[in-house]
Amino acid sequence: MVRYGIIGIGNMGSAHAKALYEGKIDSATLTAVSDTNIDRRTWAQNEFGAGTAVFEDYESLLTSGLVDAVIIATPHYSHPDIAKRAFKENLHVLIEKPAGVDTKSVKEMNRVAMESGKAFGIMFNQRTDALFGALKYYVELGLLGEIKRFNWIINNWYRTQAYYESSSWRASWNGEGGGVLLNQCPHNLDIWQWIMGMPTKVMAFCHEGQFHDVYVEDDATIYAEYPNKATATFITSTGEYPGTNRLEISGTMGKAVAENGVLKLFLLDKDERDICYNSTKSMPKEKVTQITVNIQEQVDGHILIIRNFTEHIENGKELIAPGLDGIKSLSISNAAYLSAWTGSFVDIPFDETRFNELLEAKRQEEKEKGNAKNSVDIPSEAAGEYSDRWQVRW
Ligand SMILES: NC(=O)c1ccc[n+]([C@@H]2O[C@H](COP(=O)([O-])OP(=O)(O)OC[C@H]3O[C@@H](n4cnc5c(N)ncnc54)[C@H](O)[C@@H]3O)[C@@H](O)[C@H]2O)c1
């Protein structure tokens, strides 16, 4: 039996705590929670009763001897520091996405994780979505041939001003460290690199406060390149309604289109590169076979990730989302910020010191404008009720 502690029981952490408390994960039990906010601690006392220890300070939870593993669901900036402390206490760690705010501190967390030898996972719950699993399988199988283009327009992350004001740390460089790319899109950036591998060059346009009264970007467009000449575009915002979620991958043998939870394949009989150079016609009409892939209904991915993490601890089952992978999607969003801030292409790997200097400049600029929010010690006003808005939103 794995005894879990949850650090940060706001929106997401309270859902993880409830899933464990309600016995939705075999061989796992909730023994402790921690939150700096008194309201959240009172909620936990009422919800879970005496069997679950409630701490204000996460250090006390880590050293209590009551837990074997922790799930860290605090604001992003704090993930690496809390994870490192937990590894030092010989605990297994499952962190929420994003892994952190900057890759430098995430690299340090990854180093400590590897040294500890403890289990390390990240809550990339969308990896459990059968649609993305199928897409990854087909691309790796070579069904689409050599990939030419990856194109994802995902602007169905609509949020209101009330959302941005729902927790004091949100929507600022000091409190959150980024906007839509860092908060909503780590899942999508992870699925992108999970299927396609890492791009080596990006150019990005990030518009801060485009649709809301916020300091960070709520609208972003990333253009990226791969060494084999493939390109990618990624377009997102939290300010368009109704939104779109359309992912299209095209290769030399056809294309795959995922939209509204439906995955369609459009497959050629011959490689387009052969057609291009060997056909005598200027605009040939080739046979295209269209297949609609039967996708299993999505179950709660968060629960699947905690189950998988528990099985990994208990019997060494392979992790769906290893913690070390968190740096990949963060590298894409960090590189995108660096590109937007400097107005130039950015290679991956990029200059992390330069990124941290420019992030610090954003934080200072924001403070000068009168916003001194930071992610530590500021109580959350979040309602703390699990809602299905965390599900994959096709
Ligand atoms: N995987 C997903 O689908 C998903 C969905 C939502 C949020 N998240 C992630 O979960 C994290 C939390 O987001 P949220 O929406 O639950 O935020 P939230 O503001 O609702 O909750 C954060 C909680 O952490 C507490 N906290 C802050 N500092 C703390 C500390 N040092 N020790 C203990 N508790 C502390 C706050 O008081 C608050 O209750 C973020 O990193 C977010 O990106 C992931």
Side-chain angles (χ1 to χ4, degrees), residues 7-13 34-37 40 56 58 73-76 79 82 96-98 123 125 167 169-170 183 187 302 375 378-380 382 390:
I7 303 177
I9 42 167
N11 283 308
M12 200 64 253
S34 145
D35 202 295
T36 44
N37 182 339
R40 299 313 301 147
E56 175 176 1
Y58 73 80
T74 52
H76 329 315
H79 296 174
I82 301 179
E96 262 302 344
K97 46 55 61 175
M123 186 54 78
N125 44 289
S167 293
W169 57 277
R170 291 191 200 284
N183 188 317
H187 292 298
H302 301 105
S375 63
I378 294 187
S380 160
W390 310 128

Side-chain angles (χ1 to χ4, degrees), residues 75-140:
H76 329 315
Y77 268 115
S78 56
H79 296 174
D81 280 348
I82 301 179
K84 283 189 289 183
R85 277 295 296 119
F87 287 125
K88 294 244 157 83
E89 291 302 325
N90 260 322
L91 300 173
H92 306 292
V93 176
L94 177 57
I95 46 166
E96 262 302 344
K97 46 55 61 175
V101 171
D102 68 288
T103 53
K104 215 172 188 180
S105 55
V106 167
K107 259 186 198 162
E108 178 57 13
M109 168 176 70
N110 287 355
R111 190 188 61 74
V112 175
M114 281 192 290
E115 268 176 23
S116 76
K118 306 306 286 186
F120 182 31
I122 184 162
M123 186 54 78
F124 282 140
N125 44 289
Q126 294 203 13
R127 287 194 184 190
T128 67
D129 188 310
L131 187 149
F132 296 130
L135 208 41
K136 178 175 166 63
Y137 176 73
Y138 295 140
V139 168
E140 286 174 359

Side-chain angles (χ1 to χ4, degrees), residues 135-147 251-254 267 271:
L135 208 41
K136 178 175 166 63
Y137 176 73
Y138 295 140
V139 168
E140 286 174 359
L141 202 64
L143 202 64
L144 303 178
E146 187 170 3
I147 302 303
T252 55
M253 291 300 295
L267 301 176
D271 191 296

Side-chain angles (χ1 to χ4, degrees), residues 19-200:
L20 284 157
Y21 180 74
E22 288 165 7
K24 292 187 178 158
I25 291 113
D26 285 347
S27 300
T29 180
L30 178 72
T31 49
V33 295
S34 145
D35 202 295
T36 44
N37 182 339
I38 174 76
D39 294 343
R40 299 313 301 147
R41 297 200 299 279
T42 306
W43 171 84
Q45 267 148 1
N46 294 336
E47 191 80 18
F48 306 128
T52 302
V54 179
F55 298 96
E56 175 176 1
D57 168 20
Y58 73 80
E59 288 272 346
S60 309
L61 181 149
L62 297 178
T63 54
S64 65
L66 292 172
V67 300
D68 308 304
V70 286
I71 302 179
I72 301 171
T74 52
H76 329 315
Y77 268 115
S78 56
H79 296 174
D81 280 348
I82 301 179
K84 283 189 289 183
R85 277 295 296 119
F87 287 125
K88 294 244 157 83
E89 291 302 325
N90 260 322
L91 300 173
H92 306 292
V93 176
L94 177 57
I95 46 166
E96 262 302 344
K97 46 55 61 175
V101 171
D102 68 288
T103 53
K104 215 172 188 180
S105 55
V106 167
K107 259 186 198 162
E108 178 57 13
M109 168 176 70
N110 287 355
R111 190 188 61 74
V112 175
M114 281 192 290
E115 268 176 23
S116 76
K118 306 306 286 186
F120 182 31
I122 184 162
M123 186 54 78
F124 282 140
N125 44 289
Q126 294 203 13
R127 287 194 184 190
T128 67
D129 188 310
L131 187 149
F132 296 130
L135 208 41
K136 178 175 166 63
Y137 176 73
Y138 295 140
V139 168
E140 286 174 359
L141 202 64
L143 202 64
L144 303 178
E146 187 170 3
I147 302 303
K148 297 172 179 169
R149 189 190 299 281
F150 176 97
N151 191 334
W152 201 345
I153 173 161
I154 171 140
N155 57 9
N156 67 343
W157 286 120
Y158 185 70
R159 295 288 187 271
T160 61
Q161 189 65 31
Y163 161 79
Y164 283 111
E165 286 163 17
S166 68
S167 293
S168 54
W169 57 277
R170 291 191 200 284
S172 71
W173 295 106
N174 284 285
E176 181 155 13
V180 61
L181 288 179
L182 193 70
N183 188 317
Q184 282 76 29
C185 290
H187 292 298
N188 315 107
L189 298 177
D190 175 62
I191 296 292
W192 165 4
Q193 74 74 29
W194 194 51
I195 294 174
M196 291 282 291
M198 287 293 285
T200 48

